[in-house]
mmCIF file of all heavy atoms in Angstrom:
data_model
loop_
_atom_site.group_PDB
_atom_site.id
_atom_site.type_symbol
_atom_site.label_atom_id
_atom_site.label_comp_id
_atom_site.label_asym_id
_atom_site.label_seq_id
_atom_site.Cartn_x
_atom_site.Cartn_y
_atom_site.Cartn_z
ATOM 1 N N HIS A 440 131.780 59.116 -170.236
ATOM 2 C CA HIS A 440 132.249 59.668 -171.512
ATOM 3 C C HIS A 440 133.020 58.637 -172.318
ATOM 4 O O HIS A 440 132.896 58.579 -173.555
ATOM 5 C CB HIS A 440 133.155 60.887 -171.230
ATOM 6 C CG HIS A 440 133.799 61.450 -172.475
ATOM 7 N ND1 HIS A 440 133.191 62.393 -173.260
ATOM 8 C CD2 HIS A 440 135.003 61.185 -173.067
ATOM 9 C CE1 HIS A 440 134.023 62.713 -174.267
ATOM 10 N NE2 HIS A 440 135.129 61.976 -174.174
ATOM 11 N N HIS A 441 133.800 57.788 -171.692
ATOM 12 C CA HIS A 441 134.666 56.837 -172.371
ATOM 13 C C HIS A 441 134.035 55.490 -172.594
ATOM 14 O O HIS A 441 134.657 54.621 -173.240
ATOM 15 C CB HIS A 441 135.972 56.667 -171.595
ATOM 16 C CG HIS A 441 136.725 57.919 -171.344
ATOM 17 N ND1 HIS A 441 137.597 58.466 -172.262
ATOM 18 C CD2 HIS A 441 136.718 58.768 -170.261
ATOM 19 C CE1 HIS A 441 138.096 59.572 -171.761
ATOM 20 N NE2 HIS A 441 137.597 59.788 -170.583
ATOM 21 N N PHE A 626 149.337 64.172 -169.531
ATOM 22 C CA PHE A 626 148.017 64.353 -170.115
ATOM 23 C C PHE A 626 147.627 65.823 -169.845
ATOM 24 O O PHE A 626 146.867 66.131 -168.943
ATOM 25 C CB PHE A 626 147.009 63.407 -169.458
ATOM 26 C CG PHE A 626 147.297 61.987 -169.741
ATOM 27 C CD1 PHE A 626 148.145 61.261 -168.888
ATOM 28 C CD2 PHE A 626 146.765 61.340 -170.816
ATOM 29 C CE1 PHE A 626 148.412 59.950 -169.147
ATOM 30 C CE2 PHE A 626 147.058 60.007 -171.094
ATOM 31 C CZ PHE A 626 147.893 59.305 -170.237
ATOM 32 N N ASP A 627 148.120 66.700 -170.678
ATOM 33 C CA ASP A 627 147.767 68.112 -170.551
ATOM 34 C C ASP A 627 146.397 68.313 -171.177
ATOM 35 O O ASP A 627 146.177 68.010 -172.330
ATOM 36 C CB ASP A 627 148.804 68.990 -171.248
ATOM 37 C CG ASP A 627 150.135 68.923 -170.580
ATOM 38 O OD1 ASP A 627 150.181 68.891 -169.332
ATOM 39 O OD2 ASP A 627 151.191 68.908 -171.287
ATOM 40 N N ARG A 628 145.493 68.890 -170.374
ATOM 41 C CA ARG A 628 144.132 69.147 -170.874
ATOM 42 C C ARG A 628 143.600 70.379 -170.185
ATOM 43 O O ARG A 628 144.056 70.767 -169.117
ATOM 44 C CB ARG A 628 143.231 67.917 -170.594
ATOM 45 C CG ARG A 628 143.298 67.422 -169.155
ATOM 46 C CD ARG A 628 142.502 66.146 -168.974
ATOM 47 N NE ARG A 628 143.112 65.027 -169.644
ATOM 48 C CZ ARG A 628 142.557 63.834 -169.756
ATOM 49 N NH1 ARG A 628 141.365 63.628 -169.249
ATOM 50 N NH2 ARG A 628 143.171 62.839 -170.360
ATOM 51 N N THR A 629 142.617 70.997 -170.778
ATOM 52 C CA THR A 629 142.031 72.229 -170.302
ATOM 53 C C THR A 629 140.570 71.983 -169.910
ATOM 54 O O THR A 629 139.796 71.500 -170.727
ATOM 55 C CB THR A 629 142.123 73.358 -171.352
ATOM 56 O OG1 THR A 629 143.495 73.541 -171.713
ATOM 57 C CG2 THR A 629 141.553 74.646 -170.825
ATOM 58 N N GLN A 630 140.225 72.342 -168.680
ATOM 59 C CA GLN A 630 138.846 72.225 -168.235
ATOM 60 C C GLN A 630 138.033 73.392 -168.740
ATOM 61 O O GLN A 630 138.502 74.540 -168.694
ATOM 62 C CB GLN A 630 138.763 72.147 -166.706
ATOM 63 C CG GLN A 630 137.392 71.873 -166.146
ATOM 64 C CD GLN A 630 137.374 71.986 -164.646
ATOM 65 O OE1 GLN A 630 137.286 73.074 -164.114
ATOM 66 N NE2 GLN A 630 137.407 70.834 -163.985
ATOM 67 N N THR A 631 136.826 73.144 -169.220
ATOM 68 C CA THR A 631 136.011 74.245 -169.738
ATOM 69 C C THR A 631 134.546 73.974 -169.435
ATOM 70 O O THR A 631 134.122 72.815 -169.411
ATOM 71 C CB THR A 631 136.222 74.417 -171.259
ATOM 72 O OG1 THR A 631 135.400 75.482 -171.729
ATOM 73 C CG2 THR A 631 135.858 73.149 -172.026
ATOM 74 N N LEU A 632 133.783 75.021 -169.253
ATOM 75 C CA LEU A 632 132.325 74.972 -169.094
ATOM 76 C C LEU A 632 131.702 75.896 -170.124
ATOM 77 O O LEU A 632 132.378 76.752 -170.667
ATOM 78 C CB LEU A 632 131.878 75.366 -167.675
ATOM 79 C CG LEU A 632 132.062 74.318 -166.565
ATOM 80 C CD1 LEU A 632 133.451 74.348 -166.017
ATOM 81 C CD2 LEU A 632 131.015 74.497 -165.473
ATOM 82 N N LYS A 697 127.262 70.370 -167.741
ATOM 83 C CA LYS A 697 128.371 69.611 -168.356
ATOM 84 C C LYS A 697 129.700 70.307 -168.082
ATOM 85 O O LYS A 697 129.807 71.541 -168.137
ATOM 86 C CB LYS A 697 128.132 69.480 -169.857
ATOM 87 C CG LYS A 697 129.030 68.484 -170.567
ATOM 88 C CD LYS A 697 128.628 68.357 -172.030
ATOM 89 C CE LYS A 697 129.430 67.307 -172.759
ATOM 90 N NZ LYS A 697 129.005 67.175 -174.206
ATOM 91 N N ILE A 698 130.723 69.482 -167.795
ATOM 92 C CA ILE A 698 132.079 69.926 -167.774
ATOM 93 C C ILE A 698 132.807 69.181 -168.873
ATOM 94 O O ILE A 698 132.609 67.974 -169.065
ATOM 95 C CB ILE A 698 132.774 69.603 -166.410
ATOM 96 C CG1 ILE A 698 131.966 70.148 -165.250
ATOM 97 C CG2 ILE A 698 134.196 70.152 -166.414
ATOM 98 C CD1 ILE A 698 132.526 69.698 -163.898
ATOM 99 N N LYS A 699 133.670 69.891 -169.627
ATOM 100 C CA LYS A 699 134.449 69.243 -170.677
ATOM 101 C C LYS A 699 135.954 69.490 -170.433
ATOM 102 O O LYS A 699 136.326 70.512 -169.866
ATOM 103 C CB LYS A 699 134.063 69.780 -172.082
ATOM 104 C CG LYS A 699 132.691 69.413 -172.498
ATOM 105 C CD LYS A 699 132.481 69.629 -173.992
ATOM 106 C CE LYS A 699 132.653 71.073 -174.414
ATOM 107 N NZ LYS A 699 132.344 71.294 -175.814
ATOM 108 N N TRP A 700 136.729 68.539 -170.879
ATOM 109 C CA TRP A 700 138.189 68.711 -170.881
ATOM 110 C C TRP A 700 138.671 68.629 -172.322
ATOM 111 O O TRP A 700 138.340 67.663 -173.043
ATOM 112 C CB TRP A 700 138.871 67.640 -170.062
ATOM 113 C CG TRP A 700 138.738 67.853 -168.569
ATOM 114 C CD1 TRP A 700 139.622 68.473 -167.765
ATOM 115 C CD2 TRP A 700 137.648 67.414 -167.716
ATOM 116 N NE1 TRP A 700 139.160 68.478 -166.461
ATOM 117 C CE2 TRP A 700 137.972 67.852 -166.406
ATOM 118 C CE3 TRP A 700 136.489 66.712 -167.975
ATOM 119 C CZ2 TRP A 700 137.136 67.582 -165.331
ATOM 120 C CZ3 TRP A 700 135.637 66.484 -166.903
ATOM 121 C CH2 TRP A 700 135.979 66.921 -165.599
ATOM 122 N N LEU A 701 139.395 69.626 -172.773
ATOM 123 C CA LEU A 701 139.903 69.716 -174.135
ATOM 124 C C LEU A 701 141.369 69.375 -174.192
ATOM 125 O O LEU A 701 142.134 69.680 -173.265
ATOM 126 C CB LEU A 701 139.667 71.108 -174.732
ATOM 127 C CG LEU A 701 138.239 71.630 -174.729
ATOM 128 C CD1 LEU A 701 138.183 73.037 -175.296
ATOM 129 C CD2 LEU A 701 137.306 70.675 -175.489
ATOM 130 N N SER A 702 141.805 68.739 -175.262
ATOM 131 C CA SER A 702 143.189 68.410 -175.467
ATOM 132 C C SER A 702 144.019 69.666 -175.645
ATOM 133 O O SER A 702 143.496 70.714 -176.011
ATOM 134 C CB SER A 702 143.355 67.488 -176.676
ATOM 135 O OG SER A 702 142.922 68.165 -177.849
ATOM 136 N N VAL A 703 145.317 69.528 -175.377
ATOM 137 C CA VAL A 703 146.254 70.648 -175.561
ATOM 138 C C VAL A 703 147.337 70.190 -176.522
ATOM 139 O O VAL A 703 147.882 69.078 -176.403
ATOM 140 C CB VAL A 703 146.896 71.043 -174.187
ATOM 141 C CG1 VAL A 703 147.917 72.156 -174.400
ATOM 142 C CG2 VAL A 703 145.789 71.491 -173.245
ATOM 143 N N LEU A 712 141.841 71.389 -181.184
ATOM 144 C CA LEU A 712 141.322 71.045 -179.873
ATOM 145 C C LEU A 712 140.201 69.984 -180.047
ATOM 146 O O LEU A 712 139.330 70.093 -180.911
ATOM 147 C CB LEU A 712 140.734 72.258 -179.162
ATOM 148 C CG LEU A 712 141.765 73.336 -178.726
ATOM 149 C CD1 LEU A 712 141.025 74.504 -178.104
ATOM 150 C CD2 LEU A 712 142.793 72.772 -177.770
ATOM 151 N N THR A 713 140.267 68.965 -179.211
ATOM 152 C CA THR A 713 139.215 67.929 -179.217
ATOM 153 C C THR A 713 138.800 67.652 -177.791
ATOM 154 O O THR A 713 139.580 67.834 -176.844
ATOM 155 C CB THR A 713 139.714 66.606 -179.871
ATOM 156 O OG1 THR A 713 140.889 66.169 -179.140
ATOM 157 C CG2 THR A 713 140.054 66.824 -181.333
ATOM 158 N N THR A 714 137.565 67.197 -177.617
ATOM 159 C CA THR A 714 137.055 66.870 -176.291
ATOM 160 C C THR A 714 137.594 65.488 -175.901
ATOM 161 O O THR A 714 137.270 64.488 -176.570
ATOM 162 C CB THR A 714 135.526 66.876 -176.284
ATOM 163 O OG1 THR A 714 135.051 68.173 -176.640
ATOM 164 C CG2 THR A 714 135.014 66.507 -174.899
ATOM 165 N N VAL A 715 138.361 65.414 -174.851
ATOM 166 C CA VAL A 715 138.952 64.139 -174.422
ATOM 167 C C VAL A 715 138.248 63.547 -173.208
ATOM 168 O O VAL A 715 138.474 62.383 -172.864
ATOM 169 C CB VAL A 715 140.456 64.326 -174.103
ATOM 170 C CG1 VAL A 715 141.211 64.668 -175.398
ATOM 171 C CG2 VAL A 715 140.717 65.363 -173.055
ATOM 172 N N ASP A 716 137.403 64.341 -172.542
ATOM 173 C CA ASP A 716 136.696 63.836 -171.371
ATOM 174 C C ASP A 716 135.560 64.795 -171.084
ATOM 175 O O ASP A 716 135.569 65.935 -171.491
ATOM 176 C CB ASP A 716 137.637 63.738 -170.179
ATOM 177 C CG ASP A 716 137.070 62.849 -169.060
ATOM 178 O OD1 ASP A 716 136.025 62.220 -169.295
ATOM 179 O OD2 ASP A 716 137.657 62.794 -167.969
ATOM 180 N N SER A 717 134.531 64.300 -170.381
ATOM 181 C CA SER A 717 133.402 65.154 -169.987
ATOM 182 C C SER A 717 132.688 64.528 -168.807
ATOM 183 O O SER A 717 132.786 63.320 -168.593
ATOM 184 C CB SER A 717 132.454 65.383 -171.163
ATOM 185 O OG SER A 717 131.845 64.155 -171.559
ATOM 186 N N VAL A 718 131.950 65.361 -168.083
ATOM 187 C CA VAL A 718 131.120 64.930 -166.980
ATOM 188 C C VAL A 718 129.713 65.526 -167.230
ATOM 189 O O VAL A 718 129.607 66.717 -167.479
ATOM 190 C CB VAL A 718 131.688 65.393 -165.638
ATOM 191 C CG1 VAL A 718 130.645 65.305 -164.561
ATOM 192 C CG2 VAL A 718 132.918 64.596 -165.261
ATOM 193 N N HIS A 719 128.717 64.685 -167.156
ATOM 194 C CA HIS A 719 127.308 65.116 -167.336
ATOM 195 C C HIS A 719 126.615 65.170 -165.982
ATOM 196 O O HIS A 719 126.697 64.217 -165.209
ATOM 197 C CB HIS A 719 126.572 64.184 -168.284
ATOM 198 C CG HIS A 719 127.125 64.185 -169.661
ATOM 199 N ND1 HIS A 719 126.494 64.823 -170.710
ATOM 200 C CD2 HIS A 719 128.242 63.605 -170.201
ATOM 201 C CE1 HIS A 719 127.221 64.660 -171.815
ATOM 202 N NE2 HIS A 719 128.262 63.923 -171.537
ATOM 203 N N ASP A 739 127.174 62.019 -163.118
ATOM 204 C CA ASP A 739 128.407 61.240 -163.282
ATOM 205 C C ASP A 739 129.291 61.337 -162.053
ATOM 206 O O ASP A 739 129.199 62.242 -161.229
ATOM 207 C CB ASP A 739 129.187 61.767 -164.503
ATOM 208 C CG ASP A 739 128.593 61.352 -165.802
ATOM 209 O OD1 ASP A 739 127.609 60.580 -165.800
ATOM 210 O OD2 ASP A 739 129.057 61.819 -166.864
ATOM 211 N N THR A 740 130.172 60.344 -161.971
ATOM 212 C CA THR A 740 131.192 60.327 -160.911
ATOM 213 C C THR A 740 132.494 60.900 -161.427
ATOM 214 O O THR A 740 132.760 60.814 -162.673
ATOM 215 C CB THR A 740 131.411 58.894 -160.393
ATOM 216 O OG1 THR A 740 131.633 58.029 -161.482
ATOM 217 C CG2 THR A 740 130.231 58.433 -159.603
ATOM 218 N N ALA A 741 133.290 61.449 -160.538
ATOM 219 C CA ALA A 741 134.511 62.135 -160.975
ATOM 220 C C ALA A 741 135.625 61.911 -159.946
ATOM 221 O O ALA A 741 135.366 61.584 -158.788
ATOM 222 C CB ALA A 741 134.272 63.611 -161.175
ATOM 223 N N LEU A 742 136.857 62.132 -160.412
ATOM 224 C CA LEU A 742 138.019 62.083 -159.541
ATOM 225 C C LEU A 742 138.359 63.512 -159.076
ATOM 226 O O LEU A 742 138.485 64.400 -159.884
ATOM 227 C CB LEU A 742 139.221 61.476 -160.298
ATOM 228 C CG LEU A 742 140.475 61.203 -159.512
ATOM 229 C CD1 LEU A 742 140.246 60.092 -158.526
ATOM 230 C CD2 LEU A 742 141.642 60.858 -160.434
ATOM 231 N N ILE A 761 128.867 63.900 -158.720
ATOM 232 C CA ILE A 761 128.495 65.324 -158.874
ATOM 233 C C ILE A 761 126.979 65.446 -159.044
ATOM 234 O O ILE A 761 126.403 64.847 -159.933
ATOM 235 C CB ILE A 761 129.227 65.945 -160.097
ATOM 236 C CG1 ILE A 761 130.718 65.685 -160.000
ATOM 237 C CG2 ILE A 761 128.954 67.458 -160.147
ATOM 238 C CD1 ILE A 761 131.475 66.175 -161.220
ATOM 239 N N ILE A 764 126.361 71.461 -160.580
ATOM 240 C CA ILE A 764 127.428 72.435 -160.916
ATOM 241 C C ILE A 764 126.736 73.789 -161.014
ATOM 242 O O ILE A 764 125.768 73.939 -161.784
ATOM 243 C CB ILE A 764 128.069 72.060 -162.262
ATOM 244 C CG1 ILE A 764 128.640 70.624 -162.215
ATOM 245 C CG2 ILE A 764 129.179 73.066 -162.583
ATOM 246 C CD1 ILE A 764 129.018 70.108 -163.581
ATOM 247 N N VAL A 824 134.957 73.713 -158.852
ATOM 248 C CA VAL A 824 134.946 72.829 -159.996
ATOM 249 C C VAL A 824 136.356 72.540 -160.471
ATOM 250 O O VAL A 824 136.670 71.477 -161.018
ATOM 251 C CB VAL A 824 134.060 73.434 -161.129
ATOM 252 C CG1 VAL A 824 134.329 72.730 -162.440
ATOM 253 C CG2 VAL A 824 132.612 73.341 -160.761
ATOM 254 N N SER A 825 137.266 73.475 -160.267
ATOM 255 C CA SER A 825 138.678 73.287 -160.699
ATOM 256 C C SER A 825 139.338 72.096 -160.006
ATOM 257 O O SER A 825 140.354 71.593 -160.468
ATOM 258 C CB SER A 825 139.486 74.555 -160.458
ATOM 259 O OG SER A 825 139.443 74.934 -159.103
ATOM 260 N N ASN A 826 138.789 71.635 -158.854
ATOM 261 C CA ASN A 826 139.316 70.509 -158.168
ATOM 262 C C ASN A 826 138.957 69.158 -158.843
ATOM 263 O O ASN A 826 139.523 68.128 -158.499
ATOM 264 C CB ASN A 826 138.854 70.446 -156.710
ATOM 265 C CG ASN A 826 139.512 71.509 -155.854
ATOM 266 O OD1 ASN A 826 140.211 72.388 -156.354
ATOM 267 N ND2 ASN A 826 139.252 71.476 -154.542
ATOM 268 N N ILE A 827 137.984 69.228 -159.723
ATOM 269 C CA ILE A 827 137.577 68.028 -160.436
ATOM 270 C C ILE A 827 138.556 67.742 -161.546
ATOM 271 O O ILE A 827 138.733 68.580 -162.449
ATOM 272 C CB ILE A 827 136.141 68.176 -160.999
ATOM 273 C CG1 ILE A 827 135.163 68.475 -159.852
ATOM 274 C CG2 ILE A 827 135.727 66.926 -161.729
ATOM 275 C CD1 ILE A 827 133.752 68.798 -160.340
ATOM 276 N N VAL A 828 139.227 66.596 -161.475
ATOM 277 C CA VAL A 828 140.331 66.303 -162.378
ATOM 278 C C VAL A 828 139.853 65.644 -163.672
ATOM 279 O O VAL A 828 140.317 65.972 -164.762
ATOM 280 C CB VAL A 828 141.367 65.386 -161.667
ATOM 281 C CG1 VAL A 828 142.499 64.987 -162.605
ATOM 282 C CG2 VAL A 828 141.924 66.093 -160.426
ATOM 283 N N ARG A 829 138.904 64.729 -163.560
ATOM 284 C CA ARG A 829 138.448 63.971 -164.699
ATOM 285 C C ARG A 829 137.235 63.137 -164.321
ATOM 286 O O ARG A 829 136.874 63.050 -163.124
ATOM 287 C CB ARG A 829 139.550 63.016 -165.210
ATOM 288 C CG ARG A 829 140.051 62.021 -164.181
ATOM 289 C CD ARG A 829 140.696 60.770 -164.767
ATOM 290 N NE ARG A 829 139.741 60.102 -165.608
ATOM 291 C CZ ARG A 829 140.047 59.626 -166.820
ATOM 292 N NH1 ARG A 829 141.266 59.703 -167.273
ATOM 293 N NH2 ARG A 829 139.132 59.002 -167.529
ATOM 294 N N SER A 830 136.584 62.557 -165.300
ATOM 295 C CA SER A 830 135.502 61.633 -165.019
ATOM 296 C C SER A 830 136.057 60.298 -164.541
ATOM 297 O O SER A 830 137.214 59.951 -164.783
ATOM 298 C CB SER A 830 134.648 61.412 -166.267
ATOM 299 O OG SER A 830 135.340 60.633 -167.236
ATOM 300 N N ILE A 831 135.233 59.594 -163.759
ATOM 301 C CA ILE A 831 135.587 58.284 -163.236
ATOM 302 C C ILE A 831 134.452 57.309 -163.540
ATOM 303 O O ILE A 831 133.275 57.690 -163.438
ATOM 304 C CB ILE A 831 135.833 58.336 -161.708
ATOM 305 C CG1 ILE A 831 137.215 58.850 -161.422
ATOM 306 C CG2 ILE A 831 135.666 56.978 -161.054
ATOM 307 C CD1 ILE A 831 138.339 57.901 -161.749
#
Side-chain angles (χ1 to χ4, degrees):
H440 174 88
H441 302 276
F626 297 88
D627 294 321
R628 51 184 69 187
T629 302
Q630 186 188 79
T631 180
L632 283 84
K697 191 175 184 180
I698 307 173
K699 293 195 299 184
W700 285 267
L701 303 179
S702 62
V703 177
L712 293 178
T713 57
T714 301
V715 294
D716 196 8
S717 65
V718 164
H719 295 257
D739 286 354
T740 50
L742 187 68
I761 308 176
I764 304 166
V824 166
S825 58
N826 288 8
I827 301 174
V828 176
R829 57 158 301 136
S830 70
I831 279 289

